[in-house]
Amino acid sequence: MIFIDGHSFSIPSSSPSQPQGDDILLALVENPNLISATSSFKANPERKFLASDESGSERSKWVYIFQKEYATVDPTLVDFVGTDEATTCVGLVIRNKKTRMTSVAHMDSPKIVEIGLSQMLSSLVANSLETEFEVHLIGGFEDVSLQQGNGSAVSESPAYLDGYSFPLCSKIVHTLWSRDEKFHLQTFCVLGHNTRRDSDGNTYPFFNGFVVETASGIVIPAIFDRTSRCPDELVRRIRVSVSYEDANWKEKLLETYDCGSDCFKIAPCRWTLRQYHIALSLLNCSDLEILSTCSTSPTAEAPDFVDNLRRQWTYLIVHPHWTETFPMKQPRTFARSSDGKWIRC
């Protein structure tokens, strides 16, 4: 169930008795309370996380989430949890209002939403039906325009069903709507609310990332640099691109972090020699060829997008067998040191 401003959310009576995700999504996009909340979110300055900026006792403790990952954190152990690099992906925050335990996921496909949401909830509370949750959705943009000629926020045309962002947002809100838990939707910075245009009419996300301040539950825009997307940045990127070959992760979010011990446990992910051959074939392609082949939003990617892919392919060429990276099929474990840095165990 979805609640807005303390009230159960309902869509216009003209909609079907069993509304689909598209109906729910379009109604949420136009909800005045959510529009106001999203405007407040967008008014916040974007916080930059740089591991080199802080040291020792002054270092904030954060957990960073890559695409297709999720993590649930304890506010007594972690100050911030967040993600970035989202274009057509959507960040989902679910926070237990009573315990302040917070789960964040970086959703990249409608196929992982149902099981992924169950993964998040099971890590937040034993009996989720007795708990109320704060929810924030941030990410996705109008990779296919929702604008009508008359300037209204959405279109009646089936064109809005194209692209990547809309189907993903539709699946998320329909899943929230259909479940019995109480989800209090706080921020809805998606699609048109997260879209800016250049002088040529090309669309881009306003924000590619965010963090949750775990003590207060406040969500603000954020960006991370390579040093703060840790630990095990490169291997975690590779898991995203190869996990579709591993049946263990079919329609699931990737497990990454252990809440009880405040340790990263990068769960093993298998890949085949097919990835080695793909890496060989793509490594020497031009930047434009890589963008057009490997991105869902080629014009909206960050400047280091291509470089990050080339680093992954180089790793796969050097380490074609996944057991070199995950010996004995065990997770790669990292503990937080006294100065806040991550150390391989």
Side-chain angles (χ1 to χ4, degrees):
M1 295 181 285
I2 295 176
F3 290 77
I4 298 175
D5 200 26
H7 302 286
S8 177
F9 175 71
S10 60
I11 62 175
S13 57
S14 58
S15 300
S17 57
Q18 294 296 325
Q20 300 301 304
D22 298 350
D23 305 311
I24 300 166
L25 176 56
L26 295 175
L28 290 171
V29 165
E30 296 183 330
N31 182 272
N33 290 325
L34 291 180
I35 291 173
S36 176
T38 297
S39 296
S40 297
F41 168 80
K42 292 164 70 173
N44 289 307
E46 189 174 62
R47 173 159 179 172
K48 295 183 179 180
F49 282 77
L50 307 172
S52 57
D53 283 355
E54 299 179 334
S55 61
S57 60
E58 297 179 356
R59 178 184 292 269
S60 297
K61 295 181 179 180
W62 67 77
V63 168
Y64 179 83
I65 301 303
F66 279 100
Q67 180 179 336
K68 204 180 177 182
E69 292 183 343
Y70 84 103
T72 300
V73 303
D74 184 336
T76 65
L77 299 174
V78 176
D79 301 312
F80 298 96
V81 55
T83 188
D84 70 347
E85 298 190 313
T87 55
T88 57
C89 296
V90 175
L92 173 62
V93 178
I94 305 178
R95 184 173 186 263
N96 185 321
K97 295 178 70 174
K98 183 177 180 180
T99 66
R100 300 181 297 158
M101 296 282 285
T102 304
S103 190
V104 172
H106 187 131
M107 301 279 191
D108 65 353
S109 167
K111 294 180 181 179
I112 64 172
V113 170
E114 291 189 16
I115 295 178
L117 186 58
S118 293
Q119 289 175 275
M120 297 172 74
L121 289 170
S122 65
S123 66
L124 282 170
V125 67
N127 186 355
S128 59
L129 295 182
E130 299 297 322
T131 306
E132 297 192 355
F133 300 98
E134 297 171 348
V135 174
H136 305 262
L137 270 73
I138 300 158
F141 71 112
E142 289 185 357
D143 50 326
V144 173
S145 177
L146 304 183
Q147 292 294 118
Q148 286 181 304
N150 62 8
S152 64
V154 296
S155 171
E156 298 297 329
S157 165
Y160 64 68
L161 298 176
D162 295 332
Y164 295 91
S165 297
F166 193 98
L168 176 56
C169 290
S170 175
K171 181 64 175 180
I172 293 172
V173 298
H174 186 262
T175 305
L176 294 172
W177 171 280
S178 303
R179 293 185 65 112
D180 292 329
E181 292 90 352
K182 297 178 180 179
F183 300 109
H184 294 263
L185 192 52
Q186 309 283 305
T187 309
F188 201 62
C189 189
V190 300
L191 301 176
H193 299 312
N194 191 39
T195 301
R196 60 183 177 86
R197 289 173 171 78
D198 64 17
S199 58
D200 296 322
N202 298 312
T203 58
Y204 307 88
F206 261 115
F207 300 109
N208 298 93
F210 64 87
V211 292
V212 184
E213 185 181 79
T214 59
S216 65
I218 293 173
V219 182
I220 59 173
I223 187 171
F224 297 76
D225 76 341
R226 184 180 293 178
T227 66
S228 59
R229 297 179 185 127
C230 57
D232 221 13
E233 176 247 358
L234 187 56
V235 168
R236 289 166 68 189
R237 288 188 185 278
I238 290 169
R239 288 199 315 166
V240 175
S241 60
V242 303
S243 59
Y244 70 91
E245 287 195 335
D246 189 339
N248 293 321
W249 297 113
K250 183 179 181 181
E251 300 181 357
K252 293 181 181 178
L253 292 167
L254 294 167
E255 294 176 358
T256 302
Y257 171 81
D258 182 75
C259 179
S261 61
D262 187 32
C263 289
F264 270 85
K265 295 184 178 179
I266 315 300
C269 187
R270 304 166 185 256
W271 58 81
T272 67
L273 286 177
R274 180 172 180 269
Q275 295 296 329
Y276 168 83
H277 294 295
I278 291 174
L280 280 177
S281 67
L282 291 174
L283 186 60
N284 294 317
C285 289
S286 69
D287 289 7
L288 287 177
E289 289 172 324
I290 292 172
L291 282 166
S292 62
T293 302
C294 303
S295 173
T296 58
S297 52
T299 62
E301 296 294 357
D304 61 352
F305 176 83
V306 172
D307 177 61
N308 287 332
L309 286 175
R310 287 199 171 107
R311 290 192 299 119
Q312 294 174 57
W313 296 331
T314 299
Y315 184 97
L316 289 168
I317 291 169
V318 176
H319 305 281
H321 301 287
W322 71 275
T323 51
E324 296 177 38
T325 303
F326 296 100
M328 305 295 292
K329 305 179 183 180
Q330 294 301 304
R332 295 163 64 90
T333 303
F334 296 79
R336 201 189 300 268
S337 65
S338 58
D339 65 359
K341 297 181 180 179
W342 295 102
I343 299 176
R344 180 84 182 269
C345 298

